[in-house]
Amino acid sequence: MARVLVTGGCGFIGANFVLHLLRTRKDVEVVNLDKLTYAGNLGNLAEAEGHARYRFVRGDIADAGLVEGLLAEGVEAIVNFAAETHVDRSIQDATPFLQANVLGVHTLLRAALRRGGVRFVQVGTDEVYGTLGPSGRFTEESPLLPNNPYAATKAAADGLVRAFHRTHGLDAVITRCTNNYGPFQFPEKAIPLFIGNALEDRPIPVYGDGLHVRDWLYVEDHCRAIEAVWRGGRAGEVYNVGGGNELPNVELARLILRELGKPESLIQFVKDRPGHDRRYALDSARLRAELGWTPAVTLREGIPMTVRWYREHGDWLRQVRSGAYRDYYRQHYHERHGLKA
Ligand code: DAU
C-alpha cells in the first residue's frame, strides 16, 4: 500500500485528485492536509468521508511540526496542490500568496528532505512562463517571465523545488498545467462564474476585448497527468500539461450560453484585468513521449459535461456562492467526530 500526502486536497484540483485516486487505485492510501481557506471545501470530499483509505487532517503546510509528524507515519510522496490561486486576488493583496505558495512550499520541501525517501510533486502552472503572442507554445525550457503576483509566487515555488533537487538531491518533479475546468471549481474562476451567472440570468463579465486565449484542460485529464508524473516522472524534471483546447474568452462565454440555452446579450464586456496575459498555450510533447499521457476530453465534450454537473449540483453551487459551505466543517465534520466547533 502506497501512502500519499495530498496537500490542499479540499480545493478544486486537489479534491478531484483525491477522488481519482480513491476511485481508480486500490493500493493507495490518501492523507489529505488542508487548511480550509475560502477555497477549501470539505463538501467537495463528501464521497471520501469514511473511506478506509482516506484521512483528512486540518492544518497548514507551513506548520513544520505537523508536516513532519505526518511524514513520519510513512508517506512515500507529497503531491502539493495547496496554494492561493486566483490572479485577481493576488492583484489586491499578494501576502497570502507569498505565505502559502512560497513559505508553505519551502516548509514542505524541508520536511521531505529531513524525512528522506519522499518524492515531492509540485503542481504548478503555465502562468509562470508569462504571455504568448498569437502563435507558438511554451516548452519546459521557456524562460519564466511571470506577469502577475500570483504567477510570480508560483515561479518562486518552482525555483525552490528545482533548488532542493539540484542542491540537496531531493527527489522532486514539477507539473505545469493550462487552465483547468470541471466539477468542484470555485466560482470565482471564469467557467463556473459564467455558468453560475447565466443560470441566474445575470450578466457574464468578460474582461477587456474578450480575445484573451486560454487552453482548457479537463480536470480529470490533469489528475491522470499528475499521477503519471508522480509515478514515472524523472527526478528534477518539469512536465507541461496542456489541454490542447485553445479558445478566446468571449467564445468560451458563447459556448456556455449556447449550452444553457441563454442569450448572448448576457455577455458584458468589463474593465480589463491589469497585467492580463494575452494567451497561454503549452507544448506537452515531453509528457506524451515519456509517460504516454494524452488528454481524453475535448472542450466540446467537457463544457456540456461541466454545465450538466453544475446544473445537477445546484445546492453545491448555491452554498459556495453564498458562503454557506464554510459552515460545513462546523456542522458536519465536528458533529461526525464528536468535536467542539
Ligand atoms: O493557466 C493556469 C491558471 O489558470 C492557474 O494557474 C490559475 O490558478 C487559474 O486561476 C487560471 O488563471 P486565469 O487567470 O487564466 O483563470 P480565470 O478563470 O481567472 O480567467 C480565465 C480567463 O477569463 C482569463 O483570461 C480572465 C478571463 N476572465 C476571468 C474572470 C474571472 C473574464 O473575462 N472574466 C471573469 O470574470
Side-chain angles (χ1 to χ4, degrees):
M1 187 72 68
R3 182 174 294 162
V4 59
L5 177 61
V6 174
T7 48
C10 292
F12 159 51
I13 307 175
N16 276 282
F17 186 71
V18 169
L19 294 176
H20 163 82
L21 287 183
L22 294 176
R23 284 172 188 159
T24 61
R25 307 286 161 208
K26 291 206 160 42
D27 56 346
V28 176
E29 209 176 290
V30 180
V31 179
N32 170 18
L33 173 63
D34 196 295
K35 191 178 172 185
L36 295 180
T37 63
Y38 80 94
N41 181 352
L42 271 178
N44 295 352
L45 286 170
E47 181 189 322
E49 269 181 43
H51 198 291
R53 290 183 285 108
Y54 171 75
R55 184 155 63 97
F56 170 66
V57 178
R58 188 181 193 180
D60 192 336
I61 55 168
D63 180 343
L66 175 62
V67 173
E68 282 172 17
L70 293 173
L71 295 184
E73 292 176 12
V75 161
E76 76 168 44
I78 300 175
V79 183
N80 180 40
F81 296 90
E84 289 290 336
T85 67
H86 198 51
V87 174
D88 296 319
R89 287 180 190 257
S90 79
I91 295 169
Q92 296 306 316
D93 179 11
T95 314
F97 290 74
L98 287 157
Q99 275 156 356
N101 303 359
V102 184
L103 295 174
V105 169
H106 181 243
T107 306
L108 289 177
L109 288 166
R110 222 166 36 173
L113 188 64
R114 278 209 189 117
R115 181 74 207 159
V118 178
R119 164 155 271 214
F120 190 87
V121 183
Q122 170 68 0
V123 179
T125 170
D126 59 359
E127 299 219 5
V128 297
Y129 297 121
T131 190
L132 281 170
S135 61
R137 291 189 202 157
F138 294 120
T139 71
E140 291 85 352
E141 275 64 52
S142 299
L144 302 194
L145 296 168
N147 288 322
N148 61 68
Y150 155 68
T153 61
K154 290 296 280 184
D158 285 5
L160 282 170
V161 176
R162 176 186 161 89
F164 267 68
H165 171 72
R166 303 277 290 212
T167 303
H168 300 300
L170 183 73
D171 178 9
V173 280
I174 297 171
T175 60
R176 293 188 185 134
C177 64
T178 56
N179 286 59
N180 280 225
Y181 69 106
F184 301 118
Q185 188 167 28
F186 196 81
E188 64 188 346
K189 309 285 189 197
I191 288 184
L193 178 78
F194 291 179
I195 295 173
N197 282 15
L199 282 171
E200 294 176 6
D201 296 307
R202 287 168 47 194
I204 292 191
V206 173
Y207 295 162
D209 61 7
L211 298 180
H212 302 79
V213 174
R214 294 293 181 268
D215 173 8
W216 294 96
L217 171 66
Y218 193 66
V219 65
E220 181 65 21
D221 283 334
H222 187 199
C223 291
R224 286 191 299 103
I226 294 166
E227 190 187 1
V229 172
W230 159 27
R231 292 175 184 279
R234 281 180 293 131
E237 206 50 272
V238 176
Y239 292 87
N240 283 347
V241 191
N245 290 288
E246 287 187 49
L247 206 65
N249 293 335
V250 68
E251 290 304 325
L252 177 71
R254 288 194 180 116
L255 188 63
I256 289 170
L257 288 169
R258 267 202 303 280
E259 193 54 37
L260 285 165
K262 300 283 183 179
E264 283 191 15
S265 55
L266 284 179
I267 294 176
Q268 202 171 85
F269 291 95
V270 299
K271 192 169 174 292
D272 207 354
R273 169 189 280 172
H276 194 179
D277 287 332
R278 195 64 173 167
R279 175 171 167 259
Y280 299 142
L282 290 180
D283 180 338
S284 317
R286 177 177 292 164
L287 183 58
R288 288 170 189 264
E290 288 185 20
L291 300 172
W293 175 87
T294 46
V297 180
T298 65
L299 196 61
R300 306 280 154 191
E301 296 159 343
I303 287 294
M305 278 156 60
T306 303
V307 164
R308 202 176 322 125
W309 189 89
Y310 284 92
R311 266 190 154 145
E312 287 169 1
H313 293 77
D315 281 350
W316 181 93
L317 191 57
R318 269 188 298 279
Q319 280 200 5
V320 177
R321 279 165 75 94
S322 73
Y325 71 104
R326 303 209 72 175
D327 295 338
Y328 187 93
Y329 187 77
R330 193 161 34 82
Q331 288 172 354
H332 216 80
Y333 189 81
H334 281 72
E335 266 171 31
R336 232 184 113 88
H337 296 273
L339 301 168
K340 267 194 172 167

